[in-house]
Amino acid sequence: GRSRRDSSKEIRRVGILRSRGLLVELDVIGASGVNEHSRPPEHFPQILNSGYADVVTDTMTSRGEQTRRSILDAAIERFGRDGYRSTSVADIARDAGVGGTVTFAYFPNKEALFLAAMDEDAASVIHEGLSSITDGLGSADWRQTLIFTLVEAVEGHPLARRVLAGLEPDVTDRVLGIPALAELRKACAGRIRAEQAAGTVRTDVDPVSMGNGIVSIMLSLLMSVVQVGTEVALAYGPDVAAVFEAALGRPAPPRK
């Protein structure tokens, strides 16, 4: 009879091939444990339908996601500390605890890895700010809270901070296109639209345009924070909030 070890070898091999979409000639590990180059055996469909291959495929996917996550985390820390030019892919692979060529299975080159790391770190900052939009604060409160939340969040994200400080000039023009910023713009526009419906915000402004404007001002404030210091920039936080209130608040009734 076939041993459990041989059986697991066969299932693992088939699962890997299935995950690559190969249902043609392949190496099958038989009961003897020796590779036999042949057409898929008669019981091949039963193995695929047994669920074992799916389990193996899911395990491979999970491990792949974990490896990619480790590489991204190492890239964020290394690029944030040393910058793009002073960092090598080999440095990041070593920090992530993977082989030197493993990184290229997930990112085609150093530039792609840097951009992915930048987007990821910026997204972490922005997602902290999104909570202030959705947690039920009042009209003026959520806008001011968003300012302070983003300012505090950027302090803990080295790569986002480095890019906002202008230390990576080759990608500065890409900041406005960071995917997470689109999410923030959409959330701001949605909040303004809801407030218009509730009668707490003036209705003669376009919520999308105002949401885009809020995010642009927030981004400028964050750049100021990392360039002149948190205390200096935050001193103007209430003033920025006052501008938002003047632009969005319902006009006061005329005095009689």
Side-chain angles (χ1 to χ4, degrees):
R2 181 174 302 174
S3 70
R4 179 176 298 179
R5 181 178 180 184
D6 290 334
S7 177
S8 64
K9 282 184 178 180
E10 181 172 314
I11 291 170
R12 181 165 57 252
R13 181 65 169 170
V14 171
I16 292 172
L17 290 169
R18 182 172 184 263
S19 73
R20 295 174 180 171
L22 300 178
L23 296 177
V24 291
E25 287 192 352
L26 70 162
D27 289 332
V28 178
I29 301 178
S32 62
V34 178
N35 289 352
E36 301 169 358
H37 190 69
S38 66
R39 299 289 297 177
E42 292 181 0
H43 58 277
F44 188 73
Q46 284 80 5
I47 293 176
L48 292 184
N49 293 329
S50 67
Y52 289 108
D54 290 333
V55 171
V56 174
T57 302
D58 290 343
T59 300
M60 292 171 60
T61 301
S62 178
R63 289 178 179 174
E65 291 172 351
Q66 291 174 3
T67 300
R68 186 179 187 277
R69 178 74 262 173
S70 296
I71 293 170
L72 269 181
D73 288 343
I76 289 170
E77 183 175 350
R78 177 70 74 154
F79 282 134
R81 184 179 71 239
D82 298 338
Y84 180 82
R85 296 185 182 278
S86 299
T87 298
S88 69
V89 175
D91 292 333
I92 294 170
R94 184 167 55 253
D95 292 347
V98 300
T101 60
V102 172
T103 300
F104 296 107
Y106 298 90
F107 307 96
N109 50 50
K110 177 181 172 181
E111 181 181 3
L113 176 55
F114 179 83
L115 293 177
M118 181 181 73
D119 288 349
E120 183 72 16
D121 206 32
S124 296
V125 173
I126 292 167
H127 287 160
E128 290 187 37
L130 282 172
S131 62
S132 65
I133 301 177
T134 60
D135 65 1
L137 294 173
S139 297
D141 292 335
W142 75 261
R143 293 188 288 271
Q144 185 162 339
T145 300
L146 177 60
I147 295 172
F148 289 101
T149 301
L150 290 175
V151 168
E152 291 176 0
V154 79
E155 292 295 326
H157 295 273
L159 184 53
R161 182 181 176 85
R162 183 179 182 86
V163 172
L164 288 171
L167 298 178
E168 298 293 346
D170 292 339
V171 298
T172 301
D173 59 347
R174 190 180 181 278
V175 171
L176 288 174
I178 289 174
L181 278 179
E183 186 179 354
L184 183 59
R185 293 186 187 101
K186 183 178 179 180
C188 288
R191 181 65 189 259
I192 294 170
R193 189 177 293 111
E195 291 172 345
Q196 287 176 326
T200 57
V201 166
R202 56 191 296 179
T203 58
D204 60 339
V205 295
D206 177 37
V208 174
S209 296
M210 294 304 296
N212 291 344
I214 287 174
V215 171
S216 296
I217 293 173
M218 295 288 186
L219 192 58
S220 298
L221 184 62
L222 287 177
M223 290 180 173
S224 298
V225 165
V226 298
Q227 293 179 31
V228 304
T230 303
E231 291 185 4
V232 175
L234 281 183
Y236 294 94
D239 296 333
V240 173
V243 171
F244 291 154
E245 182 61 23
L248 292 170
R250 292 176 62 84
R255 294 181 179 179
K256 295 182 180 181

